[in-house]
C-alpha cells in the first residue's frame, strides 16, 4: 500500500493546479429526452481516439444540478486520468419539482444520456458505470433497480432508499424541514394517501430486487443521520432488497440507534482504499493551500476511514465506514474499474489507482 500512496501523492503534487478546475475540453451538451422531447443539459468529456472506452455516468446530489463541481470534477478527472468517457446528466435538476426526484422523466434522462454517448462516442458497452452520493446515491440505486441491464457496476454512497421514511425523518416538531419540503414540492404534498404511492415508486427499495444480478456496491458513513442528513440504515435496508441473504430489520435498527455492530455481525477485514488524501488546512472540495511541491509532499495526510462493517451477498456489497455523509472517491471508482459485464463481480482489488480528490465531504 505504501507504493500506492506514494503514487497518489506524486499525482497530487504534479497536478495541483490542474485539479482545481474541470478537465480541459469538457463540453456542455444537450440531450433530447425520448420521454417528452425536451432538450436536457449535461456535461460530457471524451478522450481522443476511436478505441472503445468505458463510460462513467456521474450523478449530482439532491440540491444541485449537472454543473455541481464538488463531486463532478472528481468523476471527470478520474475519466481524464483513465481515458474513460464521462457524462454528468441533469436528470431535471434539484429535487424540488415534480419532474425531478426520481420521476419517470428523470430516470429516462439518465438512460438517454447513456444512449447519447453510445451514439456519439466509441463506448465499451461492457463497461458502463454509475456513481453517486447522497441524492446521487438515491438516483444510483434507483437506476440500478429500474435499468440493471445498462450497468457493469453501480457505486452508491449515503443514498436515500425510502422517500416516505426520509420525509418523516425530516419533520421537526411535526413541521417539514428543507428536505421534507423538497419532497412535498416534488409530490404535491406530504407522502400520504395517493401521494404515498408516488413516493414508493420513486424509492429505490421498490426496485432493487431487480438488481440482484448487477454488481452493486453500497457505502455509508456510520455518523450519517447525526453528522449528516441520511441515516445509514437507508443503505442497510437497500442491501436487504438487492441481496440474496438479508440482515434482520431489528438488528439494523439497533445498529443505527447504538452505532454498535450487532454481536452476530462479523468484524470486517481492513480495506486500505478507505482513506482520504488531502493536505492540512483543506476547507472544501478541490481547494488546497498554496505551497511548493516539497512542502505539499511533507504536509499531505492520510485520513483513515476504517471499514466498520461489510457484508457481501451475491453481487451486492454493503460497507459501513467511520465517516459521515461523504463519498470516498478512490474506493468507489477503483471498484467500478474492476467490473465488466459477462464476468464475475470483483471484490478483491489489485493495484488500485489513487485519484487526488480533495476533501471527501459531499453535501446534499
Amino acid at each position: 500500500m505504501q507504493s500506492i500512496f506514494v503514487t497518489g501523492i506524486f499525482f497530487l503534487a504534479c497536478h495541483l493546479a490542474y485539479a482545481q478546475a474541470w478537465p480541459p475540453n469538457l463540453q456542455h451538451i444537450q440531450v433530447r429526452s425520448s420521454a417528452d422531447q425536451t432538450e436536457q443539459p449535461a456535461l460530457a468529456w471524451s478522450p481522443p481516439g476511436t478505441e472503445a472506452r468505458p463510460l462513467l455516468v456521474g450523478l449530482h446530489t439532491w440540491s444541485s444540478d449537472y454543473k455541481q463541481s464538488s463531486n463532478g470534477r472528481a468523476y471527470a478527472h478520474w475519466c481524464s486520468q483513465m481515458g474513460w468517457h464521462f457524462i454528468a446528466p441533469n436528470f431535471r435538476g434539484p429535487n424540488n419539482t415534480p419532474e425531478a426526484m426520481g420521476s419517470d422523466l428523470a430516470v429516462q434522462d439518465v438512460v438517454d444520456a447513456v444512449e447519447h454517448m453510445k451514439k456519439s462516442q466509441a463506448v465499451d458497452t461492457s463497461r458502463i458505470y454509475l456513481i453517486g452520493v447522497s441524492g446521487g446515491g438515491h438516483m444510483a440505486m434507483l437506476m440500478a433497480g429500474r435499468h440493471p441491464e445498462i450497468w457493469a457496476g453501480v457505486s452508491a454512497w449515503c443514498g436515500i432508499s425510502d422517500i416516505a421514511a426520509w420525509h418523516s425523518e425530516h419533520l421537526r416538531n411535526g413541521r417539514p424541514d428543507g428536505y421534507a419540503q423538497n419532497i412535498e414540492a416534488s409530490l404535491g404534498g406530504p407522502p400520504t394517501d395517493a401521494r404515498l404511492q408516488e413516493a414508493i415508486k420513486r424509492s429505490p427499495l421498490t426496485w432493487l430486487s431487480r438488481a440482484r444480478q448487477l454488481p452493486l456496491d453500497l457505502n455509508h458513513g456510520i455518523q450519517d443521520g447525526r453528522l449528516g442528513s441520511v441515516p445509514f440504515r437507508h443503505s442497510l435496508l437497500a442491501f436487504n432488497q438487492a441481496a440474496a441473504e438479508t440482515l434482520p430489520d431489528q438488528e439494523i435498527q439497533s445498529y443505527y440507534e447504538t452505532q454498535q455492530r450487532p454481536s452476530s455481525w462479523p468484524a470486517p477485514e481492513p480495506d486500505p482504499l478507505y482513506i482520504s488524501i488531502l493536505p492540512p488546512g483543506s476547507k472544501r472540495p478541490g481547494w488546497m493551500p498554496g505551497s511548493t511541491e516539497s512542502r505539499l509532499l511533507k504536509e499531505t495526510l492520510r485520513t483513515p476511514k476504517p471499514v466498520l462493517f461489510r457484508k457481501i451477498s451475491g453481487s451486492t456489497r454493503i460497507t459501513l465506514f467511520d465517516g459521515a455523509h461523504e463519498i470516498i472517491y478512490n474506493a468507489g471508482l477503483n471498484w467500478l474499474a474492476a467490473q465488466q459485464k459477462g464476468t464475475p463481480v470483483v471484490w478483491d482489488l489489485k493495484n488500485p489507482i489513487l485519484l487526488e480528490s480533495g476533501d471527501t465531504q459531499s453535501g446534499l
Side-chain angles (χ1 to χ4, degrees), residues 156-220:
W157 295 74
C158 301
I160 301 102
S161 63
D162 185 330
I163 292 294
W166 201 51
H167 178 273
S168 68
E169 290 159 359
H170 282 274
L171 298 178
R172 302 292 181 258
N173 297 319
R175 295 186 177 184
D177 72 3
Y179 297 126
Q181 290 174 24
N182 290 163
I183 293 172
E184 294 182 13
S186 298
L187 299 177
T192 56
D193 303 325
R195 291 184 297 272
L196 177 59
Q197 295 307 309
E198 187 65 20
I200 291 172
K201 181 180 178 181
R202 298 181 187 214
S203 296
L205 291 185
T206 304
W207 303 92
L208 279 170
S209 62
R210 299 174 58 185
R212 287 178 181 165
Q213 304 305 313
L214 168 68
L216 175 63
D217 198 28
L218 306 171
N219 296 266
H220 219 129

Side-chain angles (χ1 to χ4, degrees), residues 7 24 33-34 37 63 67 71 78 106 112 159 170 179 201 205 220 251 266 270 273 310 352:
T7 300
S33 167
S34 61
Q37 307 307 309
S63 303
K67 300 185 297 294
N71 296 305
W78 171 268
D112 290 339
H170 282 274
Y179 297 126
K201 181 180 178 181
L205 291 185
H220 219 129
E251 293 181 5
L273 275 177
R310 172 169 278 174

Side-chain angles (χ1 to χ4, degrees), residues 124-347:
D124 180 350
T125 57
S126 72
R127 299 187 67 195
I128 300 177
Y129 306 116
L130 184 65
I131 190 168
V133 57
S134 190
H138 161 259
M139 195 62 176
M141 292 189 292
L142 188 63
M143 294 304 303
R146 293 201 60 173
H147 286 283
E149 74 282 359
I150 296 175
W151 317 108
V154 173
S155 181
W157 295 74
C158 301
I160 301 102
S161 63
D162 185 330
I163 292 294
W166 201 51
H167 178 273
S168 68
E169 290 159 359
H170 282 274
L171 298 178
R172 302 292 181 258
N173 297 319
R175 295 186 177 184
D177 72 3
Y179 297 126
Q181 290 174 24
N182 290 163
I183 293 172
E184 294 182 13
S186 298
L187 299 177
T192 56
D193 303 325
R195 291 184 297 272
L196 177 59
Q197 295 307 309
E198 187 65 20
I200 291 172
K201 181 180 178 181
R202 298 181 187 214
S203 296
L205 291 185
T206 304
W207 303 92
L208 279 170
S209 62
R210 299 174 58 185
R212 287 178 181 165
Q213 304 305 313
L214 168 68
L216 175 63
D217 198 28
L218 306 171
N219 296 266
H220 219 129
I222 200 76
Q223 303 297 331
D224 204 0
R226 296 169 174 85
L227 301 177
S229 45
V230 182
F232 69 80
R233 58 174 169 248
H234 277 259
S235 289
L236 291 168
L237 294 172
F239 173 83
N240 275 358
Q241 292 303 308
E245 181 184 358
T246 60
L247 300 164
D249 288 348
Q250 184 176 0
E251 293 181 5
I252 288 175
Q253 184 61 26
S254 173
Y255 197 173
Y256 179 70
E257 290 175 354
T258 66
Q259 295 184 297
Q260 299 297 312
R261 187 178 66 249
S263 58
S264 61
W265 295 19
E269 294 292 329
D271 188 329
L273 275 177
Y274 281 71
I275 59 174
S276 170
I277 299 179
L278 69 160
S282 292
K283 300 299 183 183
R284 59 185 184 274
W287 181 89
M288 296 183 184
S291 61
T292 63
E293 179 177 320
S294 59
R295 179 182 174 191
L296 180 62
L297 287 168
K298 291 178 181 178
E299 291 187 354
T300 301
L301 298 177
R302 300 170 71 207
T303 305
K305 304 279 184 180
V307 173
L308 302 177
F309 171 70
R310 172 169 278 174
K311 184 175 179 63
I312 298 171
S313 177
S315 296
T316 305
R317 182 174 73 175
I318 177 69
T319 301
L320 300 182
F321 60 93
D322 189 7
H325 191 73
E326 57 192 306
I327 180 173
I328 302 173
Y329 299 117
N330 286 318
L333 293 167
N334 273 282
W335 178 80
L336 288 175
Q339 313 310 318
Q340 185 169 13
K341 277 188 174 183
T343 63
V345 61
V346 176
W347 301 115

